[in-house]
Short mmCIF file of all heavy atoms in Angstrom, two decimals:
data_model
loop_
_atom_site.label_atom_id
_atom_site.label_comp_id
_atom_site.label_asym_id
_atom_site.label_seq_id
_atom_site.Cartn_x
_atom_site.Cartn_y
_atom_site.Cartn_z
N ALA A 84 96.15 85.05 95.65
CA ALA A 84 95.27 84.01 96.23
C ALA A 84 95.92 83.46 97.50
O ALA A 84 97.14 83.27 97.56
CB ALA A 84 95.02 82.91 95.21
N ALA A 85 95.08 83.22 98.51
CA ALA A 85 95.60 82.67 99.77
C ALA A 85 94.51 81.84 100.43
O ALA A 85 93.32 82.11 100.32
CB ALA A 85 96.01 83.81 100.70
N LYS A 86 94.95 80.81 101.11
CA LYS A 86 94.02 79.96 101.86
C LYS A 86 93.43 80.76 103.02
O LYS A 86 94.05 81.72 103.48
CB LYS A 86 94.74 78.73 102.41
CG LYS A 86 95.27 77.81 101.28
CD LYS A 86 95.98 76.61 101.89
CE LYS A 86 96.49 75.67 100.81
NZ LYS A 86 97.19 74.49 101.38
N PRO A 87 92.26 80.39 103.48
CA PRO A 87 91.61 81.11 104.59
C PRO A 87 92.53 81.24 105.80
O PRO A 87 92.58 82.28 106.45
CB PRO A 87 90.37 80.32 104.90
CG PRO A 87 90.04 79.65 103.59
CD PRO A 87 91.37 79.34 102.94
N SER A 88 93.25 80.17 106.13
CA SER A 88 94.10 80.23 107.30
C SER A 88 95.26 81.19 107.09
O SER A 88 95.65 81.95 107.97
CB SER A 88 94.66 78.83 107.62
OG SER A 88 95.38 78.30 106.50
N VAL A 89 95.81 81.17 105.84
CA VAL A 89 96.90 82.08 105.54
C VAL A 89 96.42 83.51 105.54
O VAL A 89 97.05 84.43 106.04
CB VAL A 89 97.55 81.70 104.18
CG1 VAL A 89 98.59 82.77 103.79
CG2 VAL A 89 98.16 80.32 104.26
N ARG A 90 95.22 83.73 104.95
CA ARG A 90 94.62 85.06 104.90
C ARG A 90 94.43 85.63 106.29
O ARG A 90 94.75 86.79 106.61
CB ARG A 90 93.28 84.99 104.17
CG ARG A 90 92.57 86.32 104.05
CD ARG A 90 91.19 86.12 103.47
NE ARG A 90 90.47 87.41 103.32
CZ ARG A 90 90.32 88.07 102.20
NH1 ARG A 90 90.83 87.55 101.06
NH2 ARG A 90 89.69 89.21 102.15
N ALA A 91 93.89 84.76 107.21
CA ALA A 91 93.65 85.20 108.56
C ALA A 91 94.95 85.56 109.25
O ALA A 91 95.05 86.56 110.00
CB ALA A 91 92.91 84.12 109.36
N ARG A 92 95.99 84.76 109.04
CA ARG A 92 97.27 85.02 109.68
C ARG A 92 97.89 86.33 109.18
O ARG A 92 98.41 87.14 109.97
CB ARG A 92 98.24 83.85 109.42
CG ARG A 92 99.63 84.05 109.97
CD ARG A 92 99.61 84.16 111.50
NE ARG A 92 100.94 84.43 112.01
CZ ARG A 92 101.82 83.45 112.31
NH1 ARG A 92 101.48 82.17 112.13
NH2 ARG A 92 102.99 83.78 112.79
N VAL A 93 97.82 86.56 107.83
CA VAL A 93 98.40 87.77 107.26
C VAL A 93 97.70 89.01 107.82
O VAL A 93 98.35 89.97 108.24
CB VAL A 93 98.33 87.74 105.73
CG1 VAL A 93 98.66 89.12 105.17
CG2 VAL A 93 99.25 86.69 105.17
N PHE A 94 96.38 88.98 107.87
CA PHE A 94 95.66 90.16 108.34
C PHE A 94 95.83 90.37 109.82
O PHE A 94 95.86 91.53 110.31
CB PHE A 94 94.17 90.07 107.96
CG PHE A 94 93.86 90.54 106.58
CD1 PHE A 94 93.67 89.63 105.58
CD2 PHE A 94 93.79 91.88 106.29
CE1 PHE A 94 93.39 90.05 104.26
CE2 PHE A 94 93.53 92.32 105.02
CZ PHE A 94 93.33 91.41 104.00
N ALA A 95 95.95 89.27 110.57
CA ALA A 95 96.19 89.43 112.03
C ALA A 95 97.55 90.09 112.28
O ALA A 95 97.66 91.01 113.10
CB ALA A 95 96.14 88.05 112.70
N ASP A 96 98.59 89.62 111.55
CA ASP A 96 99.93 90.21 111.73
C ASP A 96 99.95 91.68 111.24
O ASP A 96 100.58 92.55 111.85
CB ASP A 96 100.97 89.40 110.99
CG ASP A 96 101.18 88.01 111.61
OD1 ASP A 96 100.69 87.82 112.75
OD2 ASP A 96 101.80 87.14 110.94
N THR A 97 99.24 91.93 110.13
CA THR A 97 99.21 93.29 109.58
C THR A 97 98.47 94.23 110.54
O THR A 97 98.84 95.38 110.72
CB THR A 97 98.53 93.32 108.22
OG1 THR A 97 99.16 92.37 107.37
CG2 THR A 97 98.66 94.70 107.57
N ALA A 98 97.35 93.76 111.13
CA ALA A 98 96.63 94.58 112.10
C ALA A 98 97.48 94.89 113.32
O ALA A 98 97.46 96.01 113.83
CB ALA A 98 95.32 93.87 112.51
N ALA A 99 98.28 93.92 113.74
CA ALA A 99 99.16 94.17 114.88
C ALA A 99 100.21 95.21 114.52
O ALA A 99 100.55 96.07 115.31
CB ALA A 99 99.82 92.85 115.31
N SER A 100 100.72 95.11 113.27
CA SER A 100 101.71 96.11 112.82
C SER A 100 101.07 97.47 112.67
O SER A 100 101.74 98.49 112.85
CB SER A 100 102.32 95.63 111.51
OG SER A 100 103.31 96.52 111.07
N ALA A 101 99.77 97.52 112.28
CA ALA A 101 99.09 98.79 112.08
C ALA A 101 98.97 99.56 113.38
O ALA A 101 98.91 100.79 113.35
CB ALA A 101 97.73 98.56 111.46
N THR A 102 98.91 98.87 114.48
CA THR A 102 98.82 99.57 115.77
C THR A 102 100.11 100.33 116.08
O THR A 102 100.07 101.26 116.89
CB THR A 102 98.53 98.58 116.90
OG1 THR A 102 99.57 97.58 116.95
CG2 THR A 102 97.19 97.86 116.66
N ARG A 103 101.21 99.92 115.47
CA ARG A 103 102.49 100.60 115.70
C ARG A 103 102.82 101.56 114.52
O ARG A 103 103.93 102.10 114.48
CB ARG A 103 103.62 99.58 115.83
CG ARG A 103 103.38 98.59 116.97
CD ARG A 103 104.66 97.78 117.24
NE ARG A 103 105.08 97.03 116.09
CZ ARG A 103 104.67 95.80 115.76
NH1 ARG A 103 103.76 95.21 116.51
NH2 ARG A 103 105.13 95.22 114.68
N LEU A 104 101.87 101.73 113.63
CA LEU A 104 102.12 102.55 112.43
C LEU A 104 102.16 104.03 112.79
O LEU A 104 101.22 104.56 113.41
CB LEU A 104 101.03 102.30 111.39
CG LEU A 104 101.20 102.97 110.03
CD1 LEU A 104 102.45 102.49 109.36
CD2 LEU A 104 99.98 102.68 109.16
N ASP A 105 103.22 104.72 112.41
CA ASP A 105 103.34 106.17 112.64
C ASP A 105 103.33 106.88 111.29
O ASP A 105 104.31 106.83 110.55
CB ASP A 105 104.67 106.45 113.38
CG ASP A 105 104.81 107.91 113.75
OD1 ASP A 105 103.85 108.70 113.49
OD2 ASP A 105 105.85 108.31 114.28
N LEU A 106 102.20 107.47 110.97
CA LEU A 106 102.06 108.10 109.67
C LEU A 106 102.96 109.32 109.52
O LEU A 106 103.34 109.69 108.40
CB LEU A 106 100.59 108.52 109.45
CG LEU A 106 99.58 107.37 109.39
CD1 LEU A 106 98.18 107.91 109.13
CD2 LEU A 106 99.95 106.40 108.27
N ARG A 107 103.33 109.94 110.62
CA ARG A 107 104.20 111.10 110.53
C ARG A 107 105.62 110.73 110.08
O ARG A 107 106.31 111.52 109.46
CB ARG A 107 104.26 111.82 111.89
CG ARG A 107 102.99 112.49 112.29
CD ARG A 107 103.07 113.04 113.69
NE ARG A 107 103.25 111.99 114.70
CZ ARG A 107 103.34 112.20 115.99
NH1 ARG A 107 103.30 113.44 116.47
NH2 ARG A 107 103.48 111.20 116.83
N THR A 108 106.00 109.49 110.36
CA THR A 108 107.30 109.01 109.89
C THR A 108 107.23 108.62 108.41
O THR A 108 108.15 108.93 107.64
CB THR A 108 107.75 107.79 110.71
OG1 THR A 108 107.84 108.18 112.09
CG2 THR A 108 109.09 107.29 110.25
N ALA A 109 106.16 107.96 108.03
CA ALA A 109 106.03 107.52 106.64
C ALA A 109 105.76 108.70 105.71
O ALA A 109 106.23 108.71 104.55
CB ALA A 109 104.90 106.49 106.52
N PHE A 110 105.02 109.70 106.18
CA PHE A 110 104.66 110.85 105.36
C PHE A 110 104.98 112.14 106.15
O PHE A 110 104.09 112.73 106.76
CB PHE A 110 103.17 110.79 104.97
CG PHE A 110 102.79 109.51 104.35
CD1 PHE A 110 102.14 108.52 105.09
CD2 PHE A 110 103.07 109.24 103.04
CE1 PHE A 110 101.80 107.30 104.54
CE2 PHE A 110 102.72 108.04 102.44
CZ PHE A 110 102.10 107.05 103.20
N PRO A 111 106.24 112.53 106.19
CA PRO A 111 106.65 113.68 107.01
C PRO A 111 106.08 114.97 106.42
O PRO A 111 105.76 115.07 105.23
CB PRO A 111 108.18 113.64 106.94
CG PRO A 111 108.47 112.94 105.65
CD PRO A 111 107.37 111.92 105.46
N ILE A 112 106.08 115.99 107.25
CA ILE A 112 105.56 117.32 106.87
C ILE A 112 106.69 118.19 106.33
O ILE A 112 106.43 119.35 105.90
CB ILE A 112 104.87 118.00 108.07
CG1 ILE A 112 103.91 119.09 107.59
CG2 ILE A 112 105.91 118.52 109.05
CD1 ILE A 112 103.07 119.66 108.72
N THR A 113 107.91 117.67 106.29
CA THR A 113 109.08 118.49 105.85
C THR A 113 108.91 119.09 104.46
O THR A 113 109.17 120.28 104.27
CB THR A 113 110.35 117.65 105.94
OG1 THR A 113 110.47 117.10 107.26
CG2 THR A 113 111.57 118.49 105.63
N PRO A 114 108.51 118.32 103.43
CA PRO A 114 108.34 118.96 102.11
C PRO A 114 107.36 120.10 102.11
O PRO A 114 107.57 121.12 101.42
CB PRO A 114 107.85 117.78 101.22
CG PRO A 114 108.32 116.56 101.92
CD PRO A 114 108.26 116.86 103.36
N LEU A 115 106.27 119.97 102.86
CA LEU A 115 105.28 121.05 102.94
C LEU A 115 105.87 122.26 103.61
O LEU A 115 105.64 123.41 103.19
CB LEU A 115 104.05 120.58 103.72
CG LEU A 115 102.97 121.64 104.03
CD1 LEU A 115 102.47 122.27 102.76
CD2 LEU A 115 101.83 121.03 104.83
N ALA A 116 106.66 122.05 104.67
CA ALA A 116 107.31 123.19 105.36
C ALA A 116 108.28 123.90 104.45
O ALA A 116 108.31 125.15 104.43
CB ALA A 116 108.03 122.67 106.60
N ARG A 117 109.04 123.17 103.64
CA ARG A 117 109.95 123.82 102.69
C ARG A 117 109.19 124.66 101.66
O ARG A 117 109.58 125.77 101.34
CB ARG A 117 110.81 122.78 101.98
CG ARG A 117 111.90 122.18 102.88
CD ARG A 117 112.95 121.51 102.02
NE ARG A 117 112.38 120.34 101.33
CZ ARG A 117 112.49 119.09 101.76
NH1 ARG A 117 113.16 118.82 102.87
NH2 ARG A 117 111.98 118.09 101.05
N ALA A 118 108.06 124.10 101.15
CA ALA A 118 107.27 124.85 100.16
C ALA A 118 106.67 126.10 100.80
O ALA A 118 106.61 127.16 100.17
CB ALA A 118 106.17 123.95 99.60
N ALA A 119 106.21 125.99 102.06
CA ALA A 119 105.64 127.15 102.74
C ALA A 119 106.70 128.23 102.96
O ALA A 119 106.43 129.43 102.77
CB ALA A 119 105.02 126.73 104.07
N LEU A 120 107.92 127.82 103.31
CA LEU A 120 108.99 128.81 103.51
C LEU A 120 109.34 129.48 102.21
O LEU A 120 109.62 130.69 102.18
CB LEU A 120 110.24 128.10 104.07
CG LEU A 120 110.17 127.69 105.57
CD1 LEU A 120 111.40 126.92 105.97
CD2 LEU A 120 110.01 128.93 106.45
N LEU A 121 109.29 128.73 101.09
CA LEU A 121 109.55 129.32 99.79
C LEU A 121 108.48 130.38 99.45
O LEU A 121 108.80 131.45 98.93
CB LEU A 121 109.56 128.24 98.73
CG LEU A 121 109.74 128.71 97.27
CD1 LEU A 121 111.08 129.41 97.12
CD2 LEU A 121 109.64 127.54 96.30
N ALA A 122 107.20 130.07 99.76
CA ALA A 122 106.14 131.04 99.51
C ALA A 122 106.32 132.29 100.35
O ALA A 122 106.15 133.42 99.86
CB ALA A 122 104.79 130.40 99.79
#
């Protein structure tokens, strides 16, 4: 539970952080490459 002002602040900061989000860093393709090399 959060007050409207707190909710707005959290989502504003999260949206700003989302613009710098790099999915390739969080979810790298390295495990898939290893599995493909094994195949």
Side-chain angles (χ1 to χ4, degrees):
K86 296 180 180 180
S88 58
V89 174
R90 180 188 181 102
R92 176 63 183 273
V93 169
F94 275 102
D96 291 347
T97 307
S100 182
T102 59
R103 302 191 301 272
L104 185 62
D105 185 3
L106 296 181
R107 291 175 296 180
T108 301
F110 308 100
I112 200 173
T113 305
L115 174 59
R117 286 197 294 263
L120 286 176
L121 177 62

